Amino acid sequence: MSVQTSVSTNFVAAIAGDIRGDAKTLTRVTSVALNNGLFCCVGANENKCKLPTSAAEVGKGYGVARSDVSRDPNFPPGGTASTTYQIGDSVETVYRGQVWVKVEDAVAQFGAVFVRFADGNSGNVQKGSFRSDADTVSAAATAAAVTGARYLTAASAGQLALVDLNLPQ
């Protein structure tokens, strides 16, 4: 018979797309396969959402795709493997409140929030991902600032940061 000899006290704070406290959300149908914790914007019409492909689309953002524990990205019911939401799925997007996101680079507490809309430096290519600056490539920005958002926690590249969102809807 085995006996428990240790107790873990170093738990992960959250997963990308988890909320802290109360949050306001919108539900839309996704036009692209995407993961929780990514920034979504208006798709083909007001009932659809997608990942941003321009700075203007970041400005028309619905918010962050909320995590959904009933979905397992490793075993999708069909569609794109390792993706939480498939094309045509309903996705809740957090537009007001606090939500955890994975960041591409180091971010500072109370710093500006930028969202990727084009391929950037150092192999950063995930549209809708979060970072600390515009990630300029050949004098062109590949990420845009999100008005009404700030980081509540500092984080290193690849880690989770808590973002406070207050987006217009």
mmCIF file of all heavy atoms in Angstrom, residues 14-19 35-37 64-71 84-85 91-92 94 99-100:
data_model
loop_
_atom_site.group_PDB
_atom_site.id
_atom_site.type_symbol
_atom_site.label_atom_id
_atom_site.label_comp_id
_atom_site.label_asym_id
_atom_site.label_seq_id
_atom_site.Cartn_x
_atom_site.Cartn_y
_atom_site.Cartn_z
ATOM 1 N N ALA A 14 -3.758 29.839 -12.863
ATOM 2 C CA ALA A 14 -4.904 29.742 -13.757
ATOM 3 C C ALA A 14 -4.446 29.159 -15.082
ATOM 4 O O ALA A 14 -3.277 28.817 -15.246
ATOM 5 C CB ALA A 14 -5.494 31.131 -13.975
ATOM 6 N N ILE A 15 -5.372 29.079 -16.016
ATOM 7 C CA ILE A 15 -5.022 28.790 -17.402
ATOM 8 C C ILE A 15 -5.495 29.975 -18.227
ATOM 9 O O ILE A 15 -6.357 30.748 -17.803
ATOM 10 C CB ILE A 15 -5.637 27.469 -17.917
ATOM 11 C CG1 ILE A 15 -7.169 27.513 -17.865
ATOM 12 C CG2 ILE A 15 -5.101 26.279 -17.159
ATOM 13 C CD1 ILE A 15 -7.824 26.327 -18.540
ATOM 14 N N ALA A 16 -4.929 30.130 -19.407
ATOM 15 C CA ALA A 16 -5.299 31.258 -20.264
ATOM 16 C C ALA A 16 -6.805 31.247 -20.510
ATOM 17 O O ALA A 16 -7.382 30.208 -20.811
ATOM 18 C CB ALA A 16 -4.548 31.188 -21.582
ATOM 19 N N GLY A 17 -7.416 32.416 -20.342
ATOM 20 C CA GLY A 17 -8.852 32.541 -20.549
ATOM 21 C C GLY A 17 -9.682 32.422 -19.293
ATOM 22 O O GLY A 17 -10.887 32.666 -19.318
ATOM 23 N N ASP A 18 -9.053 32.045 -18.166
ATOM 24 C CA ASP A 18 -9.775 32.006 -16.890
ATOM 25 C C ASP A 18 -10.046 33.429 -16.424
ATOM 26 O O ASP A 18 -9.224 34.328 -16.643
ATOM 27 C CB ASP A 18 -8.953 31.306 -15.799
ATOM 28 C CG ASP A 18 -9.061 29.798 -15.853
ATOM 29 O OD1 ASP A 18 -9.851 29.274 -16.665
ATOM 30 O OD2 ASP A 18 -8.335 29.135 -15.084
ATOM 31 N N ILE A 19 -11.170 33.627 -15.758
ATOM 32 C CA ILE A 19 -11.485 34.951 -15.235
ATOM 33 C C ILE A 19 -11.247 34.983 -13.736
ATOM 34 O O ILE A 19 -11.240 33.950 -13.075
ATOM 35 C CB ILE A 19 -12.939 35.379 -15.549
ATOM 36 C CG1 ILE A 19 -13.942 34.401 -14.930
ATOM 37 C CG2 ILE A 19 -13.149 35.528 -17.029
ATOM 38 C CD1 ILE A 19 -15.374 34.891 -14.986
ATOM 39 N N ASN A 35 -7.869 29.171 -29.746
ATOM 40 C CA ASN A 35 -7.718 28.711 -28.366
ATOM 41 C C ASN A 35 -8.201 29.749 -27.377
ATOM 42 O O ASN A 35 -8.250 30.940 -27.680
ATOM 43 C CB ASN A 35 -6.254 28.375 -28.066
ATOM 44 C CG ASN A 35 -5.862 27.037 -28.636
ATOM 45 O OD1 ASN A 35 -6.578 26.051 -28.482
ATOM 46 N ND2 ASN A 35 -4.734 26.992 -29.321
ATOM 47 N N ASN A 36 -8.539 29.273 -26.185
ATOM 48 C CA ASN A 36 -8.910 30.185 -25.112
ATOM 49 C C ASN A 36 -7.707 31.064 -24.761
ATOM 50 O O ASN A 36 -6.563 30.685 -24.952
ATOM 51 C CB ASN A 36 -9.405 29.421 -23.880
ATOM 52 C CG ASN A 36 -8.499 28.288 -23.476
ATOM 53 O OD1 ASN A 36 -8.366 27.306 -24.191
ATOM 54 N ND2 ASN A 36 -7.877 28.403 -22.328
ATOM 55 N N GLY A 37 -8.015 32.276 -24.279
ATOM 56 C CA GLY A 37 -6.963 33.210 -23.889
ATOM 57 C C GLY A 37 -6.472 34.097 -25.011
ATOM 58 O O GLY A 37 -5.601 34.937 -24.792
ATOM 59 N N VAL A 64 -11.383 38.667 -24.874
ATOM 60 C CA VAL A 64 -10.559 37.465 -24.759
ATOM 61 C C VAL A 64 -11.445 36.225 -24.715
ATOM 62 O O VAL A 64 -12.417 36.168 -23.964
ATOM 63 C CB VAL A 64 -9.693 37.538 -23.485
ATOM 64 C CG1 VAL A 64 -8.868 36.266 -23.312
ATOM 65 C CG2 VAL A 64 -8.782 38.762 -23.533
ATOM 66 N N ALA A 65 -11.096 35.222 -25.512
ATOM 67 C CA ALA A 65 -11.831 33.955 -25.525
ATOM 68 C C ALA A 65 -11.696 33.286 -24.157
ATOM 69 O O ALA A 65 -10.595 32.998 -23.698
ATOM 70 C CB ALA A 65 -11.303 33.036 -26.616
ATOM 71 N N ARG A 66 -12.821 33.085 -23.512
ATOM 72 C CA ARG A 66 -12.849 32.521 -22.162
ATOM 73 C C ARG A 66 -12.565 31.021 -22.193
ATOM 74 O O ARG A 66 -12.961 30.324 -23.119
ATOM 75 C CB ARG A 66 -14.225 32.783 -21.551
ATOM 76 C CG ARG A 66 -14.312 32.385 -20.117
ATOM 77 C CD ARG A 66 -15.600 32.830 -19.500
ATOM 78 N NE ARG A 66 -15.648 32.333 -18.133
ATOM 79 C CZ ARG A 66 -16.675 32.504 -17.344
ATOM 80 N NH1 ARG A 66 -17.745 33.147 -17.760
ATOM 81 N NH2 ARG A 66 -16.642 32.031 -16.124
ATOM 82 N N SER A 67 -11.880 30.540 -21.166
ATOM 83 C CA SER A 67 -11.617 29.105 -21.089
ATOM 84 C C SER A 67 -12.914 28.371 -20.805
ATOM 85 O O SER A 67 -13.829 28.895 -20.182
ATOM 86 C CB SER A 67 -10.577 28.791 -20.007
ATOM 87 O OG SER A 67 -11.076 29.108 -18.741
ATOM 88 N N ASP A 68 -12.984 27.151 -21.295
ATOM 89 C CA ASP A 68 -14.168 26.329 -21.124
ATOM 90 C C ASP A 68 -13.687 24.936 -20.731
ATOM 91 O O ASP A 68 -13.212 24.181 -21.574
ATOM 92 C CB ASP A 68 -14.966 26.291 -22.425
ATOM 93 C CG ASP A 68 -16.267 25.528 -22.313
ATOM 94 O OD1 ASP A 68 -16.463 24.820 -21.300
ATOM 95 O OD2 ASP A 68 -17.087 25.626 -23.229
ATOM 96 N N VAL A 69 -13.808 24.600 -19.452
ATOM 97 C CA VAL A 69 -13.266 23.336 -18.961
ATOM 98 C C VAL A 69 -13.985 22.122 -19.519
ATOM 99 O O VAL A 69 -13.492 21.009 -19.410
ATOM 100 C CB VAL A 69 -13.259 23.273 -17.413
ATOM 101 C CG1 VAL A 69 -12.325 24.299 -16.843
ATOM 102 C CG2 VAL A 69 -14.657 23.420 -16.856
ATOM 103 N N SER A 70 -15.142 22.318 -20.138
ATOM 104 C CA SER A 70 -15.845 21.177 -20.724
ATOM 105 C C SER A 70 -15.254 20.778 -22.073
ATOM 106 O O SER A 70 -15.625 19.776 -22.644
ATOM 107 C CB SER A 70 -17.339 21.483 -20.882
ATOM 108 O OG SER A 70 -17.537 22.472 -21.855
ATOM 109 N N ARG A 71 -14.324 21.576 -22.578
ATOM 110 C CA ARG A 71 -13.666 21.264 -23.851
ATOM 111 C C ARG A 71 -12.242 20.805 -23.570
ATOM 112 O O ARG A 71 -11.569 21.341 -22.720
ATOM 113 C CB ARG A 71 -13.610 22.502 -24.746
ATOM 114 C CG ARG A 71 -14.971 23.002 -25.125
ATOM 115 C CD ARG A 71 -14.812 24.323 -25.869
ATOM 116 N NE ARG A 71 -16.103 24.873 -26.169
ATOM 117 C CZ ARG A 71 -16.787 24.611 -27.272
ATOM 118 N NH1 ARG A 71 -16.298 23.794 -28.155
ATOM 119 N NH2 ARG A 71 -17.947 25.161 -27.474
ATOM 120 N N THR A 84 -9.001 24.684 -28.916
ATOM 121 C CA THR A 84 -10.161 24.621 -28.030
ATOM 122 C C THR A 84 -11.466 24.822 -28.775
ATOM 123 O O THR A 84 -12.408 24.059 -28.605
ATOM 124 C CB THR A 84 -10.041 25.687 -26.922
ATOM 125 O OG1 THR A 84 -8.773 25.536 -26.278
ATOM 126 C CG2 THR A 84 -11.142 25.535 -25.897
ATOM 127 N N TYR A 85 -11.537 25.869 -29.596
ATOM 128 C CA TYR A 85 -12.772 26.191 -30.305
ATOM 129 C C TYR A 85 -12.603 25.931 -31.795
ATOM 130 O O TYR A 85 -11.677 26.434 -32.419
ATOM 131 C CB TYR A 85 -13.152 27.665 -30.089
ATOM 132 C CG TYR A 85 -13.459 27.984 -28.651
ATOM 133 C CD1 TYR A 85 -12.521 28.607 -27.846
ATOM 134 C CD2 TYR A 85 -14.689 27.659 -28.095
ATOM 135 C CE1 TYR A 85 -12.799 28.903 -26.518
ATOM 136 C CE2 TYR A 85 -14.975 27.938 -26.768
ATOM 137 C CZ TYR A 85 -14.022 28.569 -25.992
ATOM 138 O OH TYR A 85 -14.314 28.847 -24.673
ATOM 139 N N VAL A 91 -18.313 30.848 -28.693
ATOM 140 C CA VAL A 91 -17.220 31.214 -27.801
ATOM 141 C C VAL A 91 -17.640 32.429 -26.993
ATOM 142 O O VAL A 91 -18.189 33.383 -27.533
ATOM 143 C CB VAL A 91 -15.901 31.469 -28.575
ATOM 144 C CG1 VAL A 91 -16.051 32.568 -29.593
ATOM 145 C CG2 VAL A 91 -14.756 31.792 -27.639
ATOM 146 N N GLU A 92 -17.421 32.354 -25.682
ATOM 147 C CA GLU A 92 -17.670 33.501 -24.812
ATOM 148 C C GLU A 92 -16.417 34.363 -24.809
ATOM 149 O O GLU A 92 -15.317 33.860 -24.597
ATOM 150 C CB GLU A 92 -17.924 33.038 -23.371
ATOM 151 C CG GLU A 92 -19.350 32.944 -22.981
ATOM 152 C CD GLU A 92 -19.478 32.684 -21.486
ATOM 153 O OE1 GLU A 92 -19.035 31.627 -21.042
ATOM 154 O OE2 GLU A 92 -20.015 33.570 -20.791
ATOM 155 N N VAL A 94 -14.590 37.690 -23.050
ATOM 156 C CA VAL A 94 -14.608 38.599 -21.908
ATOM 157 C C VAL A 94 -14.256 39.995 -22.404
ATOM 158 O O VAL A 94 -13.186 40.202 -22.972
ATOM 159 C CB VAL A 94 -13.588 38.161 -20.832
ATOM 160 C CG1 VAL A 94 -13.577 39.135 -19.665
ATOM 161 C CG2 VAL A 94 -13.860 36.741 -20.370
ATOM 162 N N VAL A 99 -9.023 38.855 -16.711
ATOM 163 C CA VAL A 99 -8.842 37.568 -17.382
ATOM 164 C C VAL A 99 -7.350 37.268 -17.520
ATOM 165 O O VAL A 99 -6.540 38.169 -17.730
ATOM 166 C CB VAL A 99 -9.558 37.568 -18.766
ATOM 167 C CG1 VAL A 99 -8.992 38.621 -19.677
ATOM 168 C CG2 VAL A 99 -9.529 36.203 -19.405
ATOM 169 N N TRP A 100 -7.005 35.996 -17.371
ATOM 170 C CA TRP A 100 -5.610 35.559 -17.498
ATOM 171 C C TRP A 100 -5.271 35.319 -18.965
ATOM 172 O O TRP A 100 -6.067 34.732 -19.704
ATOM 173 C CB TRP A 100 -5.383 34.270 -16.709
ATOM 174 C CG TRP A 100 -5.468 34.463 -15.235
ATOM 175 C CD1 TRP A 100 -6.555 34.252 -14.438
ATOM 176 C CD2 TRP A 100 -4.426 34.905 -14.362
ATOM 177 N NE1 TRP A 100 -6.248 34.542 -13.134
ATOM 178 C CE2 TRP A 100 -4.951 34.943 -13.049
ATOM 179 C CE3 TRP A 100 -3.102 35.285 -14.565
ATOM 180 C CZ2 TRP A 100 -4.195 35.336 -11.957
ATOM 181 C CZ3 TRP A 100 -2.346 35.677 -13.464
ATOM 182 C CH2 TRP A 100 -2.889 35.696 -12.180
#
